[in-house]
Amino acid sequence: MYGGIEAGGTKFVCAVSNEGGIVKKVSIPTTTPEETLQQVFAFFDQYELDAMGIGSFGPIGIDQTTDSYGYVLATPKKGWTDYNFLGSIKERYDVPIAWTTDVNAAAYGELIKGAAQGKNSCIYLTVGTGIGAGVVIGGDIFSGIAHPEMGHIWVKRHPEDTYEGTCPYHKDCLEGLAAGPSIEARTGIKGQELLQDHPVWDMQAFYIAQALINYTLTLAPEKIILGGGVMNQDHLLQKIRQQFVELMGGYMETPKVSDYIVRWGLPNESGIIGSLLLAEKEHKATK
Ligand code: ADP
Ligand code: ZN
Protein backbone atom coordinates (compact mmCIF):
# COMPACT_ATOMS: atom_id res chain seq x y z
CA MET A 1 0.00 0.00 0.00
CA TYR A 2 1.16 3.55 -0.71
CA GLY A 3 0.83 6.58 1.51
CA GLY A 4 0.58 10.13 0.20
CA ILE A 5 0.68 13.49 1.95
CA GLU A 6 -0.23 16.75 0.28
CA ALA A 7 0.99 19.16 2.90
CA GLY A 8 -0.58 22.59 2.47
CA GLY A 9 -0.44 25.75 4.54
CA THR A 10 -4.05 25.38 5.66
CA LYS A 11 -4.61 21.63 5.46
CA PHE A 12 -2.83 18.32 5.07
CA VAL A 13 -4.50 15.79 2.80
CA CYS A 14 -3.38 12.25 3.66
CA ALA A 15 -4.35 9.22 1.61
CA VAL A 16 -3.52 5.59 1.04
CA SER A 17 -3.80 3.81 -2.26
CA ASN A 18 -3.17 0.50 -3.94
CA GLU A 19 -2.79 -0.20 -7.66
CA GLY A 20 -6.53 0.40 -8.04
CA GLY A 21 -6.40 3.96 -6.74
CA ILE A 22 -7.22 5.85 -3.54
CA VAL A 23 -8.57 3.63 -0.75
CA LYS A 24 -8.97 6.23 2.01
CA LYS A 25 -8.39 9.97 2.23
CA VAL A 26 -8.53 12.39 5.16
CA SER A 27 -8.01 16.11 5.65
CA ILE A 28 -6.16 17.46 8.70
CA PRO A 29 -5.90 21.16 9.57
CA THR A 30 -2.35 22.55 9.52
CA THR A 31 -1.52 23.84 12.99
CA THR A 32 1.84 23.31 14.72
CA PRO A 33 4.14 20.65 13.25
CA GLU A 34 3.83 18.44 16.37
CA GLU A 35 0.05 18.60 16.54
CA THR A 36 -0.40 18.10 12.81
CA LEU A 37 2.05 15.21 12.59
CA GLN A 38 0.36 13.46 15.50
CA GLN A 39 -2.82 13.28 13.43
CA VAL A 40 -0.89 12.27 10.34
CA PHE A 41 0.62 9.36 12.29
CA ALA A 42 -2.77 8.36 13.68
CA PHE A 43 -3.98 7.98 10.11
CA PHE A 44 -1.04 6.12 8.57
CA ASP A 45 -0.48 3.87 11.60
CA GLN A 46 -3.59 1.98 10.50
CA TYR A 47 -1.94 0.75 7.32
CA GLU A 48 0.95 -1.40 6.17
CA LEU A 49 2.87 0.94 3.88
CA ASP A 50 5.37 0.00 1.16
CA ALA A 51 6.38 3.56 0.33
CA MET A 52 5.29 7.14 0.84
CA GLY A 53 5.21 10.33 -1.23
CA ILE A 54 5.15 13.83 0.24
CA GLY A 55 4.31 16.99 -1.67
CA SER A 56 4.92 19.83 0.76
CA PHE A 57 4.32 23.56 0.85
CA GLY A 58 7.64 25.28 0.53
CA PRO A 59 10.23 26.34 0.26
CA ILE A 60 11.76 23.01 1.27
CA GLY A 61 15.28 21.55 1.20
CA ILE A 62 15.55 19.02 -1.61
CA ASP A 63 19.32 18.78 -2.08
CA GLN A 64 20.41 15.50 -0.49
CA THR A 65 23.99 16.74 -0.11
CA THR A 66 23.00 19.56 2.26
CA ASP A 67 21.93 19.56 5.91
CA SER A 68 18.63 21.20 5.07
CA TYR A 69 17.43 18.20 3.04
CA GLY A 70 13.95 17.27 4.18
CA TYR A 71 13.44 20.52 6.09
CA VAL A 72 10.84 23.23 5.61
CA LEU A 73 12.78 26.44 4.95
CA ALA A 74 11.77 30.11 5.44
CA THR A 75 7.98 30.01 5.54
CA PRO A 76 5.59 32.56 7.07
CA LYS A 77 3.69 29.56 8.50
CA LYS A 78 4.34 29.76 12.24
CA GLY A 79 6.44 26.98 13.75
CA TRP A 80 7.36 25.32 10.46
CA THR A 81 10.54 27.17 9.50
CA ASP A 82 13.53 24.81 9.92
CA TYR A 83 11.27 21.91 10.83
CA ASN A 84 12.67 18.52 9.85
CA PHE A 85 9.47 17.34 8.19
CA LEU A 86 10.87 14.43 6.19
CA GLY A 87 13.00 13.33 9.18
CA SER A 88 9.94 13.12 11.43
CA ILE A 89 8.06 10.98 8.92
CA LYS A 90 11.09 8.76 8.31
CA GLU A 91 11.54 8.16 12.01
CA ARG A 92 8.02 6.79 12.20
CA TYR A 93 7.86 4.85 8.93
CA ASP A 94 10.86 2.91 7.74
CA VAL A 95 9.89 2.87 4.04
CA PRO A 96 11.19 4.62 0.91
CA ILE A 97 9.82 8.18 0.80
CA ALA A 98 9.58 10.52 -2.18
CA TRP A 99 9.99 14.15 -1.07
CA THR A 100 9.08 17.15 -3.21
CA THR A 101 6.98 20.32 -3.31
CA ASP A 102 3.19 20.34 -3.47
CA VAL A 103 3.26 21.85 -6.96
CA ASN A 104 5.82 19.34 -8.23
CA ALA A 105 3.63 16.51 -6.93
CA ALA A 106 0.66 18.12 -8.68
CA ALA A 107 2.59 18.44 -11.95
CA TYR A 108 3.55 14.77 -11.71
CA GLY A 109 -0.05 13.75 -10.96
CA GLU A 110 -1.30 15.75 -13.94
CA LEU A 111 1.33 14.17 -16.21
CA ILE A 112 0.50 10.57 -15.27
CA LYS A 113 -3.26 10.76 -14.71
CA GLY A 114 -4.49 14.26 -15.54
CA ALA A 115 -4.41 16.91 -18.24
CA ALA A 116 -0.89 16.06 -19.49
CA GLN A 117 -1.37 12.31 -19.86
CA GLY A 118 0.75 10.88 -22.64
CA LYS A 119 3.19 13.82 -22.54
CA ASN A 120 6.74 13.81 -21.22
CA SER A 121 6.75 17.32 -19.83
CA CYS A 122 4.43 19.83 -18.23
CA ILE A 123 4.28 22.79 -15.92
CA TYR A 124 1.67 23.06 -13.18
CA LEU A 125 1.01 26.59 -11.98
CA THR A 126 -1.15 27.40 -9.00
CA VAL A 127 -2.59 30.86 -8.50
CA GLY A 128 -4.00 31.00 -4.97
CA THR A 129 -2.76 32.59 -1.76
CA GLY A 130 0.63 32.47 -3.43
CA ILE A 131 1.88 31.55 -6.88
CA GLY A 132 4.03 28.48 -7.41
CA ALA A 133 4.88 26.10 -10.18
CA GLY A 134 6.02 22.51 -10.53
CA VAL A 135 8.00 21.26 -13.47
CA VAL A 136 8.18 17.78 -14.96
CA ILE A 137 10.68 17.20 -17.75
CA GLY A 138 11.34 13.86 -19.42
CA GLY A 139 8.85 12.22 -17.07
CA ASP A 140 10.71 13.33 -13.94
CA ILE A 141 10.40 16.25 -11.57
CA PHE A 142 13.00 18.86 -12.39
CA SER A 143 15.32 20.14 -9.70
CA GLY A 144 18.75 21.70 -9.61
CA ILE A 145 20.34 23.52 -6.66
CA ALA A 146 16.77 23.81 -5.33
CA HIS A 147 13.25 23.47 -6.63
CA PRO A 148 12.35 26.26 -9.04
CA GLU A 149 10.54 29.29 -7.58
CA MET A 150 8.62 30.33 -10.65
CA GLY A 151 6.07 32.41 -8.78
CA HIS A 152 8.65 35.03 -7.89
CA ILE A 153 9.78 36.03 -11.38
CA TRP A 154 9.65 39.60 -12.61
CA VAL A 155 6.97 40.72 -15.02
CA LYS A 156 6.41 43.97 -16.87
CA ARG A 157 4.02 46.21 -14.95
CA HIS A 158 0.59 46.90 -16.42
CA PRO A 159 0.51 50.61 -17.43
CA GLU A 160 -2.58 51.25 -15.28
CA ASP A 161 -1.46 49.32 -12.23
CA THR A 162 -0.21 51.45 -9.35
CA TYR A 163 -0.42 48.77 -6.67
CA GLU A 164 2.92 48.15 -4.94
CA GLY A 165 2.57 44.36 -4.62
CA THR A 166 2.20 41.91 -1.71
CA CYS A 167 5.42 39.87 -1.84
CA PRO A 168 7.32 40.31 1.45
CA TYR A 169 10.61 39.71 -0.38
CA HIS A 170 10.17 41.54 -3.71
CA LYS A 171 6.91 43.48 -3.51
CA ASP A 172 6.04 43.50 -7.23
CA CYS A 173 7.16 40.09 -8.47
CA LEU A 174 4.54 37.89 -10.18
CA GLU A 175 3.20 36.59 -6.86
CA GLY A 176 3.14 40.10 -5.43
CA LEU A 177 1.09 41.40 -8.36
CA ALA A 178 -1.13 38.47 -9.29
CA ALA A 179 -1.77 36.09 -6.37
CA GLY A 180 -5.22 36.14 -4.75
CA PRO A 181 -4.33 38.62 -1.98
CA SER A 182 -3.28 41.25 -4.56
CA ILE A 183 -6.80 41.24 -6.01
CA GLU A 184 -8.25 41.93 -2.59
CA ALA A 185 -5.60 44.56 -1.80
CA ARG A 186 -6.39 46.51 -5.00
CA THR A 187 -10.15 46.32 -4.87
CA GLY A 188 -11.10 45.63 -1.25
CA ILE A 189 -13.07 42.66 -2.57
CA LYS A 190 -12.07 39.01 -2.52
CA GLY A 191 -11.47 37.44 -5.95
CA GLN A 192 -14.41 35.08 -5.59
CA GLU A 193 -16.77 38.04 -5.09
CA LEU A 194 -15.36 40.40 -7.69
CA LEU A 195 -17.47 41.01 -10.81
CA GLN A 196 -16.20 39.71 -14.13
CA ASP A 197 -16.05 43.12 -15.79
CA HIS A 198 -13.67 44.59 -13.18
CA PRO A 199 -10.48 45.95 -14.82
CA VAL A 200 -8.31 44.01 -12.33
CA TRP A 201 -8.98 40.80 -14.29
CA ASP A 202 -7.21 42.30 -17.32
CA MET A 203 -4.19 43.03 -15.13
CA GLN A 204 -4.29 39.49 -13.76
CA ALA A 205 -4.37 38.06 -17.27
CA PHE A 206 -1.58 40.40 -18.38
CA TYR A 207 0.72 39.21 -15.57
CA ILE A 208 -0.09 35.50 -15.72
CA ALA A 209 0.21 35.46 -19.53
CA GLN A 210 3.65 37.06 -19.29
CA ALA A 211 4.72 34.38 -16.82
CA LEU A 212 3.46 31.62 -19.12
CA ILE A 213 5.37 33.18 -22.02
CA ASN A 214 8.53 33.25 -19.92
CA TYR A 215 8.08 29.61 -18.93
CA THR A 216 7.36 28.63 -22.54
CA LEU A 217 10.38 30.47 -23.88
CA THR A 218 12.61 28.99 -21.18
CA LEU A 219 11.43 25.38 -20.96
CA ALA A 220 9.12 24.77 -23.94
CA PRO A 221 6.92 22.32 -21.98
CA GLU A 222 4.30 20.26 -23.80
CA LYS A 223 1.47 21.55 -21.59
CA ILE A 224 0.81 24.26 -19.05
CA ILE A 225 -1.79 23.37 -16.44
CA LEU A 226 -3.42 26.00 -14.24
CA GLY A 227 -4.84 25.35 -10.78
CA GLY A 228 -5.51 27.26 -7.56
CA GLY A 229 -8.45 29.26 -6.23
CA VAL A 230 -8.09 32.28 -8.52
CA MET A 231 -8.24 30.04 -11.60
CA ASN A 232 -11.82 29.10 -10.74
CA GLN A 233 -12.65 32.15 -12.85
CA ASP A 234 -13.29 30.68 -16.31
CA HIS A 235 -13.28 34.10 -17.94
CA LEU A 236 -9.77 34.67 -16.57
CA LEU A 237 -8.50 31.56 -18.36
CA GLN A 238 -9.87 32.93 -21.64
CA LYS A 239 -8.23 36.31 -21.02
CA ILE A 240 -4.90 34.64 -20.21
CA ARG A 241 -4.99 32.64 -23.46
CA GLN A 242 -5.79 35.80 -25.46
CA GLN A 243 -2.97 37.77 -23.84
CA PHE A 244 -0.57 34.86 -24.25
CA VAL A 245 -1.12 34.81 -28.02
CA GLU A 246 -1.02 38.60 -28.29
CA LEU A 247 2.13 39.11 -26.23
CA MET A 248 3.97 36.17 -27.80
CA GLY A 249 3.63 38.12 -31.05
CA GLY A 250 3.87 34.99 -33.18
CA TYR A 251 7.48 34.45 -32.16
CA MET A 252 7.36 30.87 -30.93
CA GLU A 253 5.07 28.25 -32.35
CA THR A 254 3.05 26.47 -29.66
CA PRO A 255 0.15 24.00 -29.82
CA LYS A 256 -3.31 25.58 -30.18
CA VAL A 257 -3.59 27.79 -27.10
CA SER A 258 -6.79 26.10 -25.86
CA ASP A 259 -4.91 22.76 -25.85
CA TYR A 260 -1.68 24.22 -24.54
CA ILE A 261 -2.89 26.28 -21.58
CA VAL A 262 -5.49 24.26 -19.72
CA ARG A 263 -7.23 23.78 -16.39
CA TRP A 264 -6.26 20.87 -14.19
CA GLY A 265 -7.46 17.40 -15.17
CA LEU A 266 -7.67 16.24 -11.53
CA PRO A 267 -9.59 19.07 -9.82
CA ASN A 268 -8.38 19.56 -6.22
CA GLU A 269 -6.61 16.19 -6.32
CA SER A 270 -3.56 16.73 -8.53
CA GLY A 271 -1.32 17.09 -5.46
CA ILE A 272 -2.50 14.08 -3.48
CA ILE A 273 -2.73 11.82 -6.53
CA GLY A 274 0.75 12.97 -7.57
CA SER A 275 2.12 12.23 -4.08
CA LEU A 276 0.70 8.70 -4.20
CA LEU A 277 2.11 8.14 -7.70
CA LEU A 278 5.51 9.34 -6.48
CA ALA A 279 5.31 6.82 -3.61
CA GLU A 280 4.62 4.09 -6.14
CA LYS A 281 7.51 5.25 -8.32
CA GLU A 282 9.84 5.30 -5.30
CA HIS A 283 8.74 1.80 -4.31
CA LYS A 284 9.43 0.43 -7.78
CA ALA A 285 12.80 2.17 -7.96
CA THR A 286 13.99 0.76 -4.63
CA LYS A 287 12.59 -2.77 -5.01
P1 ADP B 1 -4.33 28.16 -1.10
O1 ADP B 1 -3.51 28.86 -2.13
O2 ADP B 1 -4.23 28.77 0.26
O3 ADP B 1 -4.13 26.68 -1.08
P2 ADP B 1 -6.58 28.73 -2.82
O4 ADP B 1 -5.93 28.09 -3.98
O5 ADP B 1 -8.03 28.50 -2.62
O6 ADP B 1 -5.87 28.33 -1.47
O7 ADP B 1 -6.32 30.29 -2.94
C1 ADP B 1 -6.89 31.22 -2.10
C2 ADP B 1 -6.90 32.58 -2.80
O8 ADP B 1 -7.66 32.46 -4.01
C3 ADP B 1 -7.55 33.67 -1.99
O9 ADP B 1 -6.84 34.88 -2.20
C4 ADP B 1 -8.95 33.76 -2.57
O10 ADP B 1 -9.51 35.06 -2.46
C5 ADP B 1 -8.73 33.39 -4.02
N1 ADP B 1 -9.90 32.71 -4.60
C6 ADP B 1 -10.50 31.59 -4.12
N2 ADP B 1 -11.55 31.25 -4.88
C7 ADP B 1 -11.62 32.17 -5.87
C8 ADP B 1 -12.48 32.36 -6.99
N3 ADP B 1 -13.51 31.55 -7.23
N4 ADP B 1 -12.23 33.39 -7.80
C9 ADP B 1 -11.19 34.23 -7.57
N5 ADP B 1 -10.36 34.11 -6.54
C10 ADP B 1 -10.56 33.10 -5.69
ZN1 ZN C 1 8.41 37.53 -4.63
Side-chain angles (χ1 to χ4, degrees):
M1 209 162 214
Y2 304 118
I5 305 177
E6 183 194 2
T10 44
K11 66 176 194 299
F12 272 46
V13 178
C14 298
V16 285
S17 69
N18 54 29
E19 309 291 339
I22 294 183
V23 172
K24 177 89 184 158
K25 188 170 90 169
V26 295
S27 179
I28 294 164
T30 311
T31 56
T32 62
E34 293 72 24
E35 211 174 78
T36 309
L37 270 274
Q38 214 171 33
Q39 294 197 55
V40 168
F41 294 155
F43 174 70
F44 287 114
D45 282 357
Q46 306 171 80
Y47 304 95
E48 191 80 33
L49 300 175
D50 293 302
M52 296 181 80
I54 306 174
S56 174
F57 69 94
I60 58 173
I62 54 137
D63 182 347
Q64 301 207 31
T65 66
T66 65
D67 292 342
S68 62
Y69 179 71
Y71 281 67
V72 177
L73 307 178
T75 169
K77 190 83 200 154
K78 226 172 159 259
W80 288 86
T81 298
D82 294 330
Y83 178 65
N84 187 1
F85 185 0
L86 178 60
S88 306
I89 301 286
K90 266 199 170 137
E91 206 175 291
R92 185 87 172 191
Y93 306 105
D94 185 22
V95 295
I97 305 177
W99 166 248
T100 192
T101 61
D102 47 2
V103 277
N104 276 338
Y108 189 74
E110 287 290 336
L111 186 90
I112 305 296
K113 291 207 165 162
Q117 262 180 83
K119 308 287 183 205
N120 287 306
S121 59
C122 73
I123 289 175
Y124 175 88
L125 183 80
T126 177
V127 185
T129 306
I131 297 185
V135 181
V136 178
I137 295 176
D140 279 316
I141 287 169
F142 172 79
S143 62
I145 50 162
H147 52 80
E149 284 286 358
M150 292 154 72
H152 293 264
I153 61 168
W154 264 263
V155 286
K156 197 190 287 182
R157 191 174 265 279
H158 190 282
E160 279 148 41
D161 188 12
T162 53
Y163 179 61
E164 64 167 1
T166 55
C167 177
Y169 295 91
H170 317 114
K171 285 208 161 71
D172 62 353
C173 64
L174 174 68
E175 177 173 298
L177 292 173
S182 77
I183 301 175
E184 196 176 343
R186 282 191 190 91
T187 62
I189 302 167
K190 282 192 195 323
Q192 51 270 52
E193 284 146 25
L194 193 65
L195 295 177
Q196 282 190 25
D197 59 1
H198 197 287
V200 152
W201 295 118
D202 291 322
M203 290 179 190
Q204 286 288 308
F206 180 70
Y207 294 131
I208 296 167
Q210 285 184 65
L212 303 190
I213 287 176
N214 291 338
Y215 306 155
T216 298
L217 294 171
T218 310
L219 297 169
E222 288 159 273
K223 271 269 185 223
I224 296 179
I225 299 154
L226 301 176
V230 176
M231 290 313 307
N232 286 320
Q233 300 282 335
D234 285 339
H235 66 102
L236 179 61
L237 176 63
Q238 304 311 326
K239 284 194 166 91
I240 291 169
R241 286 173 173 159
Q242 263 166 20
Q243 289 277 332
F244 178 89
V245 171
E246 212 167 289
L247 296 170
M248 183 65 99
Y251 178 67
M252 188 170 164
E253 202 175 313
T254 61
K256 204 168 113 206
V257 71
S258 55
D259 293 331
Y260 183 58
I261 300 171
V262 299
R263 282 287 277 148
W264 47 19
L266 305 168
N268 299 311
E269 288 203 310
S270 325
I272 187 62
I273 290 176
S275 301
L276 290 163
L277 289 167
L278 287 168
E280 186 177 340
K281 188 168 186 253
E282 192 75 17
H283 179 57
K284 290 183 174 152
T286 48
K287 242 204 305 221

